[in-house]
Amino acid sequence: MNPRLTLASSVVGAVIVALDGTVLTVAQPSLQRDLGASFAQVQWTSTGYLIAVASLLVFAGRLGDLPHSPKRGGTPIGHHRLFGIGMLGFGAASAGIAFAPGVGWVIGLRVVQGVFGALLQPATLGMLRTAFPPDRLRTPIAVRTAAIGVSAAVGPLLGGALVAGPGWRVVFLLNVVPALVLGSLALTVRPPRTASPARLDVPGALMLALTLACLVHALVALPGWVWTASTAAVTGAAFVRHERRTASPLLPPSVIGSTAVGSALGMLVAASAALSGALFAGTFLLQDTLGLDPFRSALVSLPLAALMVAAAPTCAVLLRRVGARRTTAVAMTLLALGILVLSRTPAIWLLCTAFALVGAGFGTVMVAATHVVVREAAVESAGVAGGLQQTAMNVGPVLGVAVATALLGTGAGPGLPLGVLAALALAGAALGRALPGLQKAAMNDHGDSKDRTRVPAQR
């Protein structure tokens, strides 16, 4: 597939998922009134999606890494095929939600969306890894991140306009046409048939899915669901034991054995948790403590999205000039500083500055850490790497909001959770020491890096 078309598909796929989440938040109050739903049911329109998508991301990524059929002459799978199936299913589920007769249908179709979202999200990164050589991945990942930042800024405004005009149902029709068009195009791509001894680890996939589903549910439902946390611990231990013994593990050693990949994933969890938790607590700070209305609150936080978009291409330059280690350390520090300023000042211009620091820090970390995860993984493990990156970006926000909710419940006000989340961001900065520094990488004939930071392909 053409690299430019691959990049366009990756960007649109990522934007569709990001936009869907942001506009849903705006549409939920109207949805609740129209369908006569309870607060718990409305919450499950988000929770059901999160559980489905988080539990299946790694499995879907591994499935895309198998560009062959166990039977000779069978139909190959590949990232493009999974991307196409995911886009078509995601768009169809969105259309179904727009015509749902009751909240039960909305919840069920959101779970379906999560399943298809899990298929397409790792593929958006897996396609980039296979279409671009390692030394050219910085710019595509930066473009993808900038597009996500734009959707984060435009989503609430667009969703609000649609909800106030035609109604909340129209919100879910936004992504139907692009999803169906790009999904159909992706299914026309025929990945090359390759001979590979790798097999899909179905028992491992089931154990990991149950572990992640229980973990996400436990975080969302804190503090009343201790049993799901216990189940996550038990199934997680069983999964680790199984992976050590199986001949074809779901998580290849070439990926999880990399210190750089593990550190980058940890930074993504810490950064996304700090951002989402800070935005959650910051809403109460702006509206309850400072008395700003929702519209003025949105204007004050607008620098976050603007700087996130600007940080993406800037990070691509920084990665080339100073390396991932220094770039992420400074970016995580900026993120922590922005959250601290947010918790300490009532001045509007300082609040705008705080949100700008948060956006610049998070946008930079997202590009740099994602670049490390995707680049350090072997091509044949690109889907797993993409699945792990997307899992980190889904678990982190749930963790951050859970921490902010628990601390706000103590009655101490927004300052306490914001301080804790700033500390979490600083802790994430320490993980940057394990990331590769600035090195000139020699390239082999196939366009793969031969530097010492490169994880070798699994044999």
Side-chain angles (χ1 to χ4, degrees), residues 251-298:
L251 301 178
S254 61
V255 177
I256 61 171
S258 168
T259 303
V261 171
S263 298
L265 290 172
M267 294 187 82
L268 287 171
V269 172
S272 58
L275 173 71
S276 296
L279 290 178
F280 183 80
T283 300
F284 290 92
L285 173 68
L286 295 176
Q287 297 185 23
D288 292 350
T289 305
L290 301 181
L292 301 180
D293 59 46
F295 182 73
R296 290 188 66 194
S297 298

Side-chain angles (χ1 to χ4, degrees), residues 120-149:
L120 76 89
Q121 288 186 62
T124 62
L125 290 172
M127 291 190 302
L128 292 182
R129 180 62 180 91
T130 56
F132 293 88
D135 63 326
R136 292 180 55 200
L137 275 172
R138 290 182 291 264
T139 299
I141 290 176
V143 171
R144 181 179 180 275
T145 302
I148 293 174

Side-chain angles (χ1 to χ4, degrees), residues 134-454:
D135 63 326
R136 292 180 55 200
L137 275 172
R138 290 182 291 264
T139 299
I141 290 176
V143 171
R144 181 179 180 275
T145 302
I148 293 174
V150 171
S151 67
V154 173
L157 299 176
L158 181 60
L162 292 175
V163 170
W168 66 268
R169 295 181 183 273
V170 179
V171 166
F172 292 97
L173 296 176
L174 283 175
N175 56 38
V176 173
V177 173
L180 296 181
V181 171
L182 278 179
S184 300
L185 287 175
L187 290 180
T188 64
V189 177
R190 296 291 181 183
R193 302 180 188 276
T194 59
S196 172
R199 294 184 301 173
L200 186 62
D201 179 18
V202 176
L206 293 174
M207 284 186 279
L208 181 60
L210 182 59
T211 299
L212 291 172
C214 290
L215 175 62
V216 171
H217 186 257
L219 290 173
V220 171
L222 281 176
W225 292 92
V226 178
W227 68 271
T228 52
S230 302
T231 304
V234 172
T235 56
F239 171 73
V240 171
R241 184 172 182 268
H242 170 80
E243 289 290 283
R244 290 177 176 176
R245 295 188 174 190
T246 186
S248 299
L250 181 69
L251 301 178
S254 61
V255 177
I256 61 171
S258 168
T259 303
V261 171
S263 298
L265 290 172
M267 294 187 82
L268 287 171
V269 172
S272 58
L275 173 71
S276 296
L279 290 178
F280 183 80
T283 300
F284 290 92
L285 173 68
L286 295 176
Q287 297 185 23
D288 292 350
T289 305
L290 301 181
L292 301 180
D293 59 46
F295 182 73
R296 290 188 66 194
S297 298
L299 290 179
V300 170
S301 62
L302 197 58
L304 187 152
L307 266 293
M308 182 177 168
V309 174
T314 303
C315 181
V317 177
L318 292 174
L319 286 173
R320 185 171 61 250
R321 294 186 176 179
V322 301
R325 187 182 304 153
R326 293 181 180 178
T327 299
T328 53
V330 173
M332 290 293 281
T333 303
L334 285 178
L335 176 59
L337 178 61
I339 296 174
L340 280 177
V341 173
L342 183 63
S343 68
R344 301 292 179 181
T345 179
I348 297 298
W349 72 272
L350 279 176
L351 290 173
C352 292
T353 302
F355 279 113
L357 290 172
V358 170
F362 180 77
T364 303
V365 170
M366 187 174 175
V367 174
T370 300
H371 176 260
V372 171
V373 173
V374 177
R375 182 183 188 275
E376 295 289 322
V379 174
E380 57 268 29
S381 300
V384 169
L388 289 171
Q389 189 270 353
Q390 292 292 319
T391 301
M393 295 300 296
N394 278 273
V395 172
V398 177
L399 173 62
V401 172
V403 169
T405 301
L407 294 177
L408 284 171
T410 64
L416 176 60
L418 289 172
V420 171
L421 292 165
L424 176 61
L426 283 177
L431 296 173
R433 297 176 182 176
L435 300 187
L438 183 62
Q439 289 187 340
K440 293 183 178 180
M443 307 302 295
N444 62 24
D445 293 337
H446 301 286
D448 285 333
S449 171
K450 293 166 63 178
D451 66 5
R452 288 178 294 176
T453 65
R454 176 77 164 85

Side-chain angles (χ1 to χ4, degrees), residues 21-30 155-157 159-161 163:
T22 56
V23 298
L24 173 65
T25 303
V26 177
Q28 280 178 330
S30 179
L157 299 176
V163 170

